[in-house]
Amino acid sequence: MGAGDEIHVRIVKMSTLRVLALVTVFSMVPGGFLSDIRDTQGLESQQLAQGSTVLHHRQKRGWIWKQLFVQEEDPTSRIVGQVKSDSDRGEFNIQYILSGEGAGDVFEIDEYSGEIWTLKKLDREEKAFYVLQAQAINRRTNEPEEPQSEFIIKVQDINDNAPLFLNEPYLSSIPEMSPVGTAVAQVTATDADDPMFGNNAKLIYSILQGEPYFSVQPKTGIIVTSWVNMDREAREEYLVVVQVKDMLGLSGGYSSSTTVTVSLTDVNDNGPTFQQ
């Protein structure tokens, strides 16, 4: 073996010893470098989890609302709904206080449960909703458990009003011999019930008297001619009786009627004749 070969063998041996020493050092460190990375990732995950828990505990408490409405014309005292704090655990440590429109007169609140009761029957046509405020007070500290909050109690409609015609009496005139479909007049009725709730204020018009000479459009109340050759010389005036019904004309609804006086005006439809 030459001198060059001996130098090469020494370099290889020294490199091998350095690698072994490095491996030995890492094996002495508990968990090694990869374990440190995993531990760091685990710590971050744990911190995130703890942070989310802290955020959850810091969430602001609030009111729990249920639908608040009362049907009109009901004389029985009933529960309208309930206001409640989500910190209420049923231990009666919170006092509920009601203020605003109708508090103590129309509505009362159970100071322990937050249930709101009616004290008398209501008329939606007189007042459709009430604006009230609720408070939740901690009985031990006498401090507000929740900030005062405003809410609305709506009065739900029932069909308790008959439709009424406007602008009576109705008088109209059309030329004699008018073609079928000629507009004669329009009758209009209103209903005080809630037009947005059910069919209580949905109106339908019909003819009670005046057929077959006249008809009425059910939804608009427009009266039109439906007979040809109405001759003023034979009959000069007609009385048309129109009925209006709510509930789209279904049974159980209310109705009203009105009379339209229709006069035929003369047209030049007769030639002159000698009497003798």
Side-chain angles (χ1 to χ4, degrees), residues 9-241:
V9 170
R10 288 177 183 174
I11 292 173
V12 170
K13 287 182 178 180
M14 291 176 65
S15 299
T16 302
L17 290 174
R18 287 174 181 172
V19 170
L20 290 174
L22 186 63
V23 170
T24 302
V25 170
F26 270 102
S27 65
M28 292 177 64
V29 177
F33 182 67
L34 293 178
S35 177
D36 289 343
I37 294 177
R38 287 193 296 269
D39 288 345
T40 302
Q41 291 175 339
L43 179 60
E44 290 175 351
S45 300
Q46 184 177 1
Q47 288 174 344
L48 287 174
Q50 290 175 349
S52 63
T53 303
V54 170
L55 289 175
H56 176 72
H57 286 307
R58 287 178 180 175
Q59 286 180 352
K60 184 180 179 181
R61 294 188 299 271
W63 289 100
I64 301 175
W65 299 101
K66 292 186 178 181
Q67 187 178 12
L68 301 177
F69 69 90
V70 58
Q71 192 176 75
E72 67 170 333
E73 303 298 342
D74 187 352
T76 306
S77 180
R78 296 185 184 276
I79 296 177
V80 177
Q82 184 181 35
V83 295
K84 190 175 183 180
S85 168
D86 64 0
S87 63
D88 190 340
R89 300 292 181 263
E91 299 171 352
F92 306 111
N93 61 326
I94 294 178
Q95 179 186 12
Y96 295 99
I97 300 172
L98 188 68
S99 59
E101 296 178 338
D105 176 32
V106 181
F107 305 102
E108 68 176 356
I109 193 168
D110 186 319
E111 63 174 302
Y112 295 98
S113 68
E115 292 177 337
I116 300 174
W117 292 71
T118 58
L119 297 176
K120 62 182 182 181
K121 69 178 182 179
L122 305 177
D123 185 358
R124 190 204 69 88
E125 287 71 47
E126 180 181 329
K127 189 171 178 61
F129 61 90
Y130 293 80
V131 180
L132 297 107
Q133 295 81 38
Q135 288 181 283
I137 306 298
N138 190 302
R139 293 179 184 274
R140 290 192 293 267
T141 64
N142 204 32
E143 294 292 330
E145 192 71 22
E146 305 289 351
Q148 180 174 285
S149 184
E150 186 173 274
F151 63 96
I152 294 176
I153 296 179
K154 294 184 178 180
V155 183
Q156 193 176 60
D157 186 48
I158 65 170
N159 188 25
D160 60 341
N161 291 277
L164 299 175
F165 282 98
L166 304 176
N167 305 319
E168 294 180 299
Y170 292 98
L171 303 173
S172 181
S173 63
I174 58 171
E176 62 176 333
M177 302 299 178
S178 292
V180 172
T182 299
V184 177
Q186 182 175 17
V187 294
T188 304
T190 60
D191 195 307
D193 290 316
D194 188 355
M196 306 302 294
F197 184 78
N199 296 322
N200 294 346
K202 302 293 177 61
L203 306 180
I204 291 292
Y205 300 92
S206 62
I207 289 280
L208 291 182
Q209 177 185 314
E211 294 178 326
Y213 304 102
F214 303 94
S215 62
V216 64
Q217 296 177 2
K219 293 184 178 180
T220 64
I222 296 176
I223 301 169
V224 297
T225 58
S226 56
W227 188 264
V228 295
N229 300 328
M230 285 191 289
D231 188 357
R232 189 191 68 85
E233 284 72 37
R235 183 175 178 179
E236 187 174 349
E237 187 177 86
Y238 295 82
L239 298 180
V240 182
V241 180

